[in-house]
Amino acid sequence: MTINNKTMADLERKAALSLTDTERAELTAQMNAVLSCLDVLRTCPDCPPAEPSATCTLRTDQVLPSADRAAVLTNAPETDGTFFLVPRTVE
Amino acid sequence: MNQLFDLTALELARAIARGDVAQSDVIQGSADCIAVSDKLNCFTAISVSDPIAATPDSSLSGVPMAVKDNLCLAGTATTCASRMLRDFIPPYTAAAVEKLLCAGAVCMGKTNLDEFAIGSTSETSFFGPVKNPWNLEYSAGGSSGGSAAAVAAGLVWYALGSDTGGSIRHPAACCGVTGMKPTYGTVSRYGLVSYASSFDQIGPIARDAADCAAVLDIIRGHDRRDSTSLPGPYPSLSAQLTGDLRSVRIGIPDVYFDEAVDEPTRCAILSCADALRRRGATVELCRASGLEHAVHAYYVLACAQASSNLARYDGVRYGCRAEAAHDVQDLFVRSRSLGFGREVQRRILLGTYLLSDENYDTYYKKAVAVRHQVEGAFRALWHSYDLLLTPVFPGPPPKLGQKTNDPVALYQEDRYVACANLAGLPALSMPCGMRQEGLPIGVQLLGPRMSDGAVLNAAFAFQQETDFHRRHPPMFGLGGDAE
């Protein structure tokens, strides 16, 4: 089995998710089924790096208006009117 | 049924422009239908935008449309059908939506989808599944199921969707409408909520290829706000719809025309090939190698990109925030666990696994190599063929609930469509037949990068020969009243 309880606990920590025992058992089984299907990729030969088919164009470095602060803060669960608020990080 | 609903978007726009019909009557007719379409569950929000006076040459001015609810519309909730973004109201509008509104489009609302566009049956939505207008027991396909169902049911004349691994083409085929994923980079992704950024592309779902071309002519173009946006040029696609396929070579790749394809789908595609031949094309079965593992590579790369893109949802700047967190890390974990549904969590965890130190070479690097191999395989095919013809999926659309707990079966069905996303190709799905049980059959056309006009012209030619795109479910133009 590729993913066991210990692996899953590690993945949850890395992905900042927390599953119940029932969810963990179900997702572990499903993810192992998907991974055994993806294992066919192991047999594929490596190939040398190729030029990317989609190219990113860098913008010129130019100051432009940004989003309106008040409008952006409207969607935040908690703010002080200027900044986003989170639980205290330093005691 | 109001006869207006039988018109295509282009025909309706011309009728409005001539004064044959008042724009206000058209909008009211659409709103009336949407108001009684609850059983389809294809809208997450109904909100009619104020019509903007468009430039006189705008081909779709005044026509009601809808927008998939992962595209931002300033001042209107953009939920991605997720509890995570249930209350998110974006302060800006997606580039593609903005262009349509400036061209006189009237947005009737936001359409339902798989949560964060992750899925292919539109069943993972926080708001419940979208139903297929042809048969309410079946899925509308996904992830743009709401957009496809709304067009198929005649609630709007066209809709925007997004396609990461078939999410426009699959629901279009399930619902018997025409949907197009354009060449990657030709439509700005600015304002599209990201799922897998190297695949995501916005495109139209409409009643026929001519309407798709008209929508794309408006929304295509370079946008400095999207770093993958192509500089162009962008010649008119509508002008390329001649219906003439003389000297066009079309291949049917054997790898996508195998024993998995059921008899009704096989027959419909062969009939489609005959119709294309009548328009002058040569169509033949062809050998294609190097495409076998495309869907496996797609799932590795899509999950990896999803796990990265969805890391931004942490309950701090926007989105769902859990109560009673005792520190910042606990806030992240509780908010994400509360806000994301099961399928999204599965993909994030898979992506995290595939990107981890110990698995990166085994899966991610191999998938990148396969992606290059797939691009090479297509380049080889373009030496002999101008376009390819394939199924969209191999059998009937899934029944609701049939495959929700079998991710492997669901993922495997994406193999006919995900290859186009891996290589950034333009690909279109259109109705080409009907199953005995009264459900539409779709066929896919795909071509080289930037051959969007040729793909659309082949679809246009087919639709000149046939009337599958003019067939509608019984509830068409009536909301849900006919069922």
Side-chain angles (χ1 to χ4, degrees):
Chain A
M1 189 180 289
T2 312
I3 296 179
N4 54 31
N5 269 349
K6 185 166 172 290
T7 327
M8 193 57 126
D10 186 45
L11 291 177
E12 288 174 54
R13 185 185 56 77
K14 288 174 175 165
L17 289 169
S18 173
L19 306 176
T20 64
D21 290 345
T22 314
E23 289 170 341
R24 188 172 299 120
E26 187 187 332
L27 282 186
T28 301
Q30 290 175 346
M31 286 168 61
N32 278 321
V34 173
L35 286 171
S36 51
C37 183
L38 297 181
D39 270 347
V40 70
L41 290 173
R42 290 172 187 268
T43 64
C44 295
D46 289 321
C47 72
E51 285 298 307
S53 51
T55 52
C56 292
T57 313
L58 296 178
R59 293 191 290 245
T60 50
D61 192 4
Q62 186 183 6
V63 178
L64 291 171
S66 185
D68 176 67
R69 179 188 290 258
V72 169
L73 288 174
T74 304
N75 279 298
E78 196 177 354
T79 77
D80 65 359
T82 306
F83 297 105
F84 302 112
L85 294 185
V86 296
R88 180 179 293 276
T89 55
V90 180
E91 292 299 334
Chain B
M1 182 187 74
N2 189 325
Q3 287 182 340
L4 285 177
F5 289 97
D6 255 345
L7 303 178
T8 66
L10 283 167
E11 290 165 349
L12 179 62
R14 285 195 285 267
I16 294 171
R18 283 194 305 265
D20 295 348
V21 58
Q23 188 190 44
S24 55
D25 291 343
V26 173
I27 295 170
Q28 191 57 51
S30 176
D32 290 346
C33 273
I34 292 170
V36 292
S37 68
D38 288 358
K39 63 179 68 168
L40 291 175
N41 199 28
C42 55
F43 279 87
T44 57
I46 299 164
S47 167
V48 183
S49 65
D50 292 329
I52 296 173
T55 51
D57 60 346
S58 175
S59 60
L60 293 173
S61 184
V63 177
M65 48 74 98
V67 172
K68 186 177 181 180
D69 199 15
N70 62 348
L71 285 156
C72 289
L73 178 57
T76 301
T78 296
T79 70
C80 289
S82 176
R83 180 175 189 162
M84 179 62 82
L85 290 179
R86 185 168 49 170
D87 302 316
F88 176 66
I89 300 189
Y92 62 99
T93 298
V97 179
E98 196 167 46
K99 284 184 168 187
L100 284 171
L101 294 177
C102 289
V106 181
C107 181
M108 303 300 294
K110 307 293 290 292
T111 54
N112 203 355
L113 65 151
D114 279 299
E115 183 179 8
F116 281 100
I118 296 177
S120 50
T121 60
S122 296
E123 290 177 282
T124 68
S125 166
F126 176 67
F127 304 106
V130 181
K131 310 277 180 67
N132 192 317
W134 291 90
N135 185 327
L136 298 176
E137 291 180 5
Y138 283 81
S139 161
S143 65
S144 309
S147 291
V151 174
L155 308 179
V156 289
W157 276 260
Y158 67 94
L160 287 184
S162 66
D163 192 314
T164 303
S167 282
I168 286 175
R169 292 159 285 154
H170 185 273
C174 288
C175 294
V177 290
T178 305
M180 172 125 183
K181 181 201 91 67
T183 298
Y184 183 83
T186 56
V187 177
S188 170
R189 291 181 295 112
Y190 178 77
L192 169 68
V193 178
S194 299
Y195 158 23
S197 306
S198 77
F199 302 132
D200 295 342
Q201 192 64 178
I202 299 165
I205 294 176
R207 296 182 185 178
D208 65 13
D211 281 359
C212 283
V215 175
L216 283 167
D217 276 334
I218 294 169
I219 66 175
R220 289 190 339 150
H222 180 253
D223 182 2
R224 66 187 306 281
R225 298 169 296 183
D226 173 2
S227 61
T228 57
S229 175
L230 295 172
Y234 291 97
S236 164
L237 297 173
S238 300
Q240 296 175 54
L241 304 185
T242 62
D244 184 354
L245 298 182
R246 282 174 296 178
S247 80
V248 175
R249 304 160 299 166
I250 301 175
I252 304 177
D254 53 359
V255 68
Y256 295 129
F257 206 59
D258 56 8
E259 67 283 353
V261 180
D262 76 1
E263 199 54 28
T265 308
R266 178 177 291 272
C267 289
I269 289 173
L270 292 176
S271 297
C272 172
D274 284 340
L276 294 168
R277 286 188 189 103
R278 288 198 294 277
R279 285 277 161 165
T282 57
V283 189
E284 62 185 23
L285 279 168
C286 63
R287 282 270 307 140
S289 58
L291 299 172
E292 299 80 2
H293 303 312
V295 75
H296 306 96
Y298 165 76
Y299 268 99
V300 170
L301 299 173
C303 288
Q305 292 177 47
S307 73
S308 173
N309 271 327
L310 273 60
R312 72 190 67 179
Y313 300 101
D314 53 15
V316 174
R317 289 152 299 161
Y318 41 75
C320 169
R321 182 175 201 162
E323 301 292 331
H326 52 75
D327 60 27
V328 173
Q329 185 60 29
D330 190 42
L331 173 74
F332 296 166
V333 172
R334 284 174 186 254
S335 299
R336 290 166 61 78
S337 304
L338 179 68
F340 289 136
R342 189 70 55 87
E343 176 65 24
V344 172
Q345 293 192 19
R346 183 161 64 205
R347 303 259 184 138
I348 290 173
L349 289 163
L350 260 173
T352 306
Y353 179 85
L354 298 166
L355 286 174
S356 60
D357 274 351
E358 54 271 34
N359 298 307
Y360 185 82
D361 286 355
T362 314
Y363 294 104
Y364 189 82
K365 273 182 76 176
K366 289 281 189 181
V368 171
V370 169
R371 184 177 194 174
H372 291 311
Q373 185 188 334
V374 167
E375 288 169 343
F378 277 117
R379 275 197 299 274
L381 282 166
W382 305 137
H383 289 308
S384 308
Y385 300 99
D386 302 297
L387 300 171
L388 298 175
L389 189 70
T390 78
V392 182
F393 50 87
K399 275 195 164 178
L400 289 169
Q402 185 185 354
K403 291 182 177 170
T404 41
N405 287 316
D406 188 356
V408 174
L410 268 180
Y411 296 179
Q412 290 283 12
E413 286 210 351
D414 289 345
R415 73 191 192 92
Y416 302 89
V417 282
C419 56
N421 301 78
L422 273 188
L425 308 177
L428 174 147
S429 138
M430 61 183 173
C432 68
M434 292 297 293
R435 307 182 71 84
Q436 270 192 334
E437 56 266 48
L439 292 161
I441 300 171
V443 64
Q444 177 177 233
L445 279 161
L446 57 167
R449 289 168 66 81
M450 300 308 285
S451 72
D452 303 55
V455 171
L456 283 159
N457 185 43
F460 177 75
F462 175 73
Q463 292 178 340
Q464 297 277 299
E465 286 285 320
T466 59
D467 71 347
F468 295 110
H469 61 294
R470 293 271 182 187
R471 298 187 191 180
H472 306 306
M475 68 168 63
F476 183 80
L478 297 166
D481 282 357
E483 288 293 312

